[in-house]
Amino acid sequence: MTTTAFEPLTPDTLPARLGSITALTQRIGANASSWSVREVGDGNLNLVFIVQGSNGSVVVKQALPYVRLVGDSWPLPLKRSFFEYHALTRQAARSPGSVPEILHFDQAQALIVMEYLSPHIILRKALIMGRELPRIAEDLGLFTARTLFRGSDLHMSAATRKADLALFADNVDLCDITESLVFTDPYFEAPRNRHTSPQLDALVASLRADRDLKVEAQRMKHLFTANAETLLHGDLHTGSIMVTDEETKVIDPEFAFYGPIAFDIGMLLANYWMSYFSQGGHEQDGSRDSMRAYLLRTTTTTWSVFRCEFARLWRSERNGMLYARSLFEDAGDPLGAEQALDTFLHRVWEDLLGFAGVEIHRRILGLAHNAEFETIEDADLRAACETPALRFGRHIAVNRRHLHSIDEVNALVALIDRENRL
């Protein structure tokens, strides 16, 4: 870089400003003047460029000092790229092959240069297209189990974990976005909210008047803010995952911080379920029943793989300060460790349902919506897809302690959706 003061990149200025960085020139070619640069960012926060040279391509991601979706009226610190970089390095170590390779990081310019994933596409776009990807359930079940277990006091030394907790505790502004946009704003008439109107007006009013729902949403917010169990991705939805039939890569962990284990896996399952409810809006080329069945299988397998891998790590890598082996295996009581594991996973299951419920609500009622619903142009049809999703979200958030298995929840998804379409 030729400047130390922060300056947003453009396709025209990027080659001159990044052309001396060895990590780029080695990967894509030394002649920066011949680089082709495309700005492709379609997210809410950042600039994203694909840079192609004679030898290959890279992605350059740069934070902006505000929320891109809203504009400079909503400022954000550039340091979020620092947290994203550190989260990616930890995820790469804890779940090898699950995230893009990092080639260069410039904290002053708030930019990360990483490998260009091709022919990968965003998982959300693939699901809207009706693609039944064969690997996402296993890959994402393993990713969540490995990163969440290995980033916790179940695995890390106390000193290392506390130092890491202190580092990510400074990601205050992005945590504030989650705390407000996910857990609070959807449940009252916040200025930035929007929903399909007038079709959903009556249902939205009833949800915002629902005392039980609002209490449970705040219980989940309390858990989110107070239970610093592990390093989270913090924004693990289908727009933060890139896929091919053979490979799954997780991207964009700039919301990373220490929070409850159930949050990431709950957010992921919520996005599968929302995709299910959206399928009726994407049947222009024929029935999506096969896609619906695929999404329920994917949800089941993701949770099953998560449980199995988490249990394997519990038995083989539980070397941290929690549930010490000296109390169980070393004392001749391996069944005690299994009882503790079952209790632990049961609590994760209940909590993830609560997080999934509020995630569904915020994606339909809040500021940042899901493309699965937003790309349904007919407002009546869109509302017809969103209505059962909202009702399902309410049910699992409020009644999560009475839902005992993923099969039971998936049966509820299918029932609510089918009743709405009759």
Side-chain angles (χ1 to χ4, degrees):
M1 301 292 293
T2 58
T3 180
T4 56
F6 174 81
E7 182 181 341
L9 293 164
T10 70
D12 292 333
T13 63
L14 187 149
R17 292 180 60 193
L18 304 188
S20 62
I21 297 174
T22 302
L24 272 76
T25 58
Q26 288 181 339
R27 178 64 66 102
I28 68 175
N31 184 8
S33 64
S34 69
W35 293 354
S36 170
V37 182
R38 280 190 298 134
E39 209 279 297
V40 297
D42 59 358
N44 298 328
L45 299 180
N46 307 292
L47 297 170
V48 181
F49 304 90
I50 296 174
V51 186
Q52 185 173 10
S54 57
N55 298 336
S57 302
V58 298
V59 167
V60 176
K61 180 177 180 179
Q62 186 180 37
L64 291 168
Y66 52 82
V67 178
R68 188 179 186 187
L69 177 65
V70 176
D72 56 14
S73 63
W74 189 345
L76 272 186
L78 296 173
K79 194 176 180 181
R80 66 184 186 271
S81 66
F82 169 89
F83 299 114
E84 178 171 5
Y85 166 73
H86 281 281
L88 284 167
T89 60
R90 285 152 179 76
Q91 291 166 351
R94 293 166 185 167
S95 184
S98 296
V99 300
E101 178 188 359
I102 300 301
L103 304 172
H104 178 75
F105 171 59
D106 185 328
Q107 184 172 347
Q109 295 301 313
L111 67 84
I112 303 171
V113 181
M114 63 191 83
E115 72 170 304
Y116 172 50
L117 299 173
S118 179
H120 302 65
I121 66 170
I122 295 293
L123 174 56
R124 174 164 289 141
K125 294 180 180 179
L127 298 180
I128 292 171
M129 293 163 56
R131 286 183 57 181
E132 298 180 14
L133 295 142
R135 291 206 51 86
I136 60 169
E138 181 176 358
D139 288 347
L140 294 171
L142 292 174
F143 172 81
T144 50
R146 290 169 179 173
T147 56
L148 297 174
F149 184 93
R150 289 170 173 160
S152 76
D153 273 323
L154 294 167
H155 176 76
M156 299 175 71
S157 71
T160 301
R161 191 260 184 189
K162 286 178 171 59
D164 223 36
L165 176 63
L167 185 149
F168 283 94
D170 194 34
N171 200 6
V172 175
D173 293 87
L174 269 69
C175 287
D176 178 68
I177 290 176
T178 301
E179 291 153 8
S180 298
L181 297 190
V182 175
F183 297 102
T184 301
D185 285 8
Y187 302 104
F188 77 106
E189 293 184 12
R192 295 190 177 103
N193 286 347
R194 59 188 178 89
H195 64 265
T196 304
S197 180
Q199 290 87 344
L200 294 182
D201 287 356
L203 178 56
V204 172
S206 71
L207 292 173
R208 289 177 177 160
D210 189 328
R211 182 183 300 127
D212 291 340
L213 174 60
K214 290 189 289 186
V215 168
E216 291 305 321
Q218 291 308 290
R219 286 170 66 96
M220 301 317 299
K221 183 175 183 177
H222 186 179
L223 181 61
F224 179 83
T225 59
N227 193 7
E229 283 187 305
T230 190
L231 179 63
L232 299 175
H233 178 285
D235 198 28
L236 190 60
H237 53 73
T238 51
S240 296
I241 299 160
M242 298 195 70
V243 294
T244 66
D245 285 350
E246 293 79 31
E247 190 172 58
T248 308
K249 297 279 189 178
V250 178
I251 61 173
D252 294 348
E254 59 198 321
F255 283 80
F257 89 114
Y258 271 78
I261 284 174
F263 184 75
D264 277 357
I265 186 70
M267 182 171 282
L268 176 62
L269 296 188
N271 277 262
Y272 291 157
W273 286 320
M274 281 186 281
S275 182
Y276 183 100
F277 286 113
S278 77
Q279 293 304 309
H282 301 290
E283 292 187 309
Q284 296 85 354
D285 297 324
S287 170
R288 286 289 186 98
D289 284 346
S290 175
M291 191 65 185
R292 291 183 180 95
Y294 162 78
L295 286 163
L296 295 186
R297 290 196 307 272
T298 298
T299 306
T300 299
T301 303
T302 300
W303 175 239
S304 176
V305 170
F306 173 90
R307 284 179 55 91
C308 290
E309 181 66 2
F310 197 95
R312 184 188 72 81
L313 295 170
W314 178 281
R315 296 168 188 137
S316 61
E317 297 187 17
R318 199 178 78 254
N319 304 315
M321 63 181 286
L322 293 182
Y323 301 94
R325 291 179 177 277
S326 58
L327 299 177
F328 299 108
E329 292 92 341
D330 297 348
D333 184 23
L335 290 180
E338 293 300 301
Q339 178 179 326
L341 170 62
D342 289 343
T343 301
F344 194 99
L345 286 175
H346 178 72
R347 193 256 305 163
V348 171
W349 165 251
E350 287 189 352
D351 292 345
L352 79 82
L353 291 176
F355 288 127
V358 297
E359 165 70 359
I360 291 170
H361 287 164
R362 75 100 169 198
R363 287 295 188 176
I364 299 174
L365 307 181
L367 171 67
H369 287 210
N370 273 4
E372 283 94 335
F373 295 124
E374 290 294 280
T375 53
I376 302 171
E377 294 183 3
D378 183 295
D380 290 334
L381 180 57
R382 182 169 66 250
C385 295
E386 293 172 328
T387 295
L390 289 169
R391 290 175 173 158
F392 170 73
R394 191 267 178 198
H395 186 86
I396 61 173
V398 173
N399 299 299
R400 63 186 184 279
R401 298 171 191 84
H402 307 293
L403 297 166
H404 305 298
S405 72
I406 192 72
D407 290 338
E408 182 180 354
V409 176
N410 281 341
L412 180 66
V413 170
L415 175 63
I416 292 174
D417 184 63
R418 185 167 58 251
E419 287 180 343
N420 189 73
R421 287 187 284 134
L422 291 177

